[in-house]
Amino acid sequence: MVHGSTISNPVRLIFKRKYPVVIPLSCYGFRRSTVDIALVVPRSGSAGMFGPSCEACASLAVADINAAGGILDRPVRLHPVDAGAPLPALAATIDRMVSTGMVDGVVGWHLSNARKVITPHTAGRVPYVYTTFYEGGEDSDGVYMVGETPEQQLFPALRWLRAEHGVRRWCVVGNDYVWPRETARATIEFTATTDIEIVGQTYVPLGGRDFRRALELIHRSPAQGVLLFMVGADCAAFNRAFAESGLDGDRLRLSMMIGEDVLYAGGADSTRGLFTASGYFESVVSPAGMDFGARYLREFGPAAPALNNIGESCYEGLLLFASLAESARSLDLRAIERNAPRVSYGGPRGEVRVRGAHTTQPVYLADADALEFSVLAELDS
């Protein structure tokens, strides 16, 4: 049972109990003894390589939350859902789980096209914590975002690379769906107020492996860098093709959806001049971050899925879900909304605070050193 204002290390949740406990009833009229959460992460498709680390980090979060008394004095139970399933099937699964009262909320890392089909079935009904960085603009009722927006992550990284490496002209290469296209649009709007320029853009279908058009565009353009908005296995395959073409000799890459597992899949020869930005890197030296990495290794062993920012975001998402519910002393969306401005927690990323539907947190820029990321700077948003 949770008492006071803290949960024992390594997770610190700040609760302000002003409202009475309100336990939601299932559609069958009885109170469950657990808080049930749909964990929506990719188990298939281009992003499927991230699924194992997402599930591992989520299981650590549940262990920590339950060790501290659970949510609303009830243990948490996860129900994994494959975010790589066809979108109509994913939407139907979430609708069924919410409509039958099977779950009290949704947490997960998945692509924006999956989020777009999930929100119609959660909005105004159950809390939904979306853990990844994204293109911005989400305002559905009851949705909270752990991840960074372009204003917090991408744009500061572009400014840093302009100042430190003189990179002014960029090509965009992305998968052909909402996140890459909307992020490119936002980036063009941002660059209109700077001396940075987007000189070309091209998109590849999810799962596509024909990169000839993209490589030719980069080769013919005056771009000094490539903004890489590609997913998982697609990103790894493009990085190999990019290096094999020799373009890594004089052009940088800034890749936004990338973790150590993508580096492993692409191979050490594909990572020269590759940068990324994130709120979490295992190499950030902090007591909380180092403790999290050590516990991950102890729990899952040396053969565990690579610990990365994408998997870790699911740990953060469950901490945020717990903090929102405990601060409100309810899973009711209106109670959560009233109390959200007072919510913060301490975790592997440091102190995270809720601001509107988003969170604030430190964001770092790193470059790839063979198969690891080396943090270079904390970015100013």
Side-chain angles (χ1 to χ4, degrees):
M1 185 176 297
V2 178
H3 294 289
S5 62
T6 61
I7 282 182
S8 59
N9 288 332
V11 182
R12 181 167 56 83
L13 307 182
I14 300 177
F15 306 142
K16 296 184 181 295
R17 296 188 173 183
K18 295 183 64 178
Y19 293 88
V21 177
V22 179
I23 303 295
L25 302 180
S26 78
C27 62
Y28 300 110
F30 61 85
R31 189 181 78 179
R32 279 200 304 269
S33 61
T34 55
V35 171
D36 290 78
I37 300 173
L39 178 70
V40 186
V41 297
R43 292 177 150 186
S44 58
S46 297
M49 67 164 54
F50 300 130
S53 63
C54 289
E55 293 192 43
C57 290
S59 72
L60 277 184
V62 168
D64 288 339
I65 293 167
N66 285 344
I71 296 175
L72 304 178
D73 307 326
R74 296 150 61 191
V76 176
R77 183 170 58 180
L78 296 179
H79 300 261
V81 176
D82 181 14
L87 295 179
L90 174 61
T93 297
I94 297 300
D95 183 51
R96 174 178 55 81
M97 296 175 88
V98 173
S99 296
T100 62
M102 179 179 177
V103 296
D104 300 293
V106 175
V107 174
W109 184 99
H110 36 267
L111 304 186
S112 289
N113 55 359
R115 188 189 78 250
K116 293 285 190 181
V117 303
I118 290 172
T119 52
H121 304 291
T122 63
R125 303 170 77 189
V126 296
Y128 173 16
V129 176
Y130 185 56
T131 74
T132 185
F133 62 88
Y134 80 117
E135 64 278 0
E138 178 59 67
D139 61 358
S140 298
D141 185 15
V143 180
Y144 292 86
M145 272 70 65
V146 170
E148 309 88 342
T149 62
E151 291 80 7
Q152 297 168 309
Q153 176 197 36
L154 173 58
F155 301 164
L158 289 173
R159 288 194 294 264
W160 192 94
L161 289 167
R162 176 70 177 105
E164 298 296 327
H165 290 274
V167 181
R168 190 176 71 82
R169 297 181 300 275
W170 294 85
C171 271
V172 171
V173 178
N175 284 120
D176 193 6
Y177 75 102
V178 59
W179 167 64
R181 287 191 175 274
E182 287 301 304
T183 303
R185 180 191 58 75
T187 303
I188 291 170
E189 292 179 0
F190 160 74
T191 58
T193 64
T194 72
D195 68 344
I196 301 169
E197 185 180 2
I198 304 299
V199 298
Q201 52 185 308
T202 189
Y203 298 90
V204 179
L206 283 165
R209 291 295 180 269
D210 185 353
F211 304 125
R212 289 173 295 181
R213 179 179 176 184
L215 296 173
E216 181 62 23
L217 171 66
I218 297 165
H219 179 75
R220 289 188 289 101
S221 79
Q224 301 160 287
V226 179
L227 275 175
L228 194 52
F229 301 148
M230 299 191 77
V231 174
D234 297 1
C235 184
F238 178 83
N239 283 333
R240 288 195 299 270
F242 185 87
E244 289 166 0
S245 72
L247 288 168
D248 62 341
D250 59 357
R251 291 172 175 85
L252 301 182
R253 280 162 292 165
L254 178 58
S255 180
M256 306 314 295
M257 191 181 292
I258 190 168
E260 284 80 353
D261 35 13
V262 175
L263 299 186
Y264 298 155
D269 291 340
S270 71
T271 65
R272 180 169 61 164
L274 179 61
F275 294 78
T276 190
S278 175
Y280 173 83
F281 290 100
E282 190 179 3
S283 57
V284 172
V285 178
S286 71
M290 294 173 69
D291 181 73
F292 179 75
R295 290 190 305 117
Y296 185 91
L297 181 61
R298 285 198 306 270
E299 180 68 22
F300 302 111
L307 179 57
N308 57 78
N309 63 81
I310 292 165
E312 191 274 342
S313 76
C314 290
Y315 185 92
E316 300 282 338
L318 284 158
L319 263 59
L320 177 58
F321 189 101
S323 297
L324 291 166
E326 286 288 348
S327 180
R329 292 307 298 160
S330 175
L331 290 166
D332 176 74
L333 293 181
R334 300 289 76 78
I336 288 174
E337 183 179 19
R338 287 192 299 270
N339 285 272
R342 293 187 285 274
V343 169
S344 67
Y345 65 85
R349 299 189 182 200
E351 189 77 7
V352 177
R353 296 181 180 276
V354 175
R355 292 292 180 268
H358 294 83
T359 60
T360 62
Q361 58 191 285
V363 177
Y364 304 93
L365 186 127
D367 68 347
D369 179 7
L371 299 179
E372 298 179 348
F373 285 115
S374 298
V375 173
L376 303 175
E378 182 174 341
L379 296 172
D380 296 321
S381 58

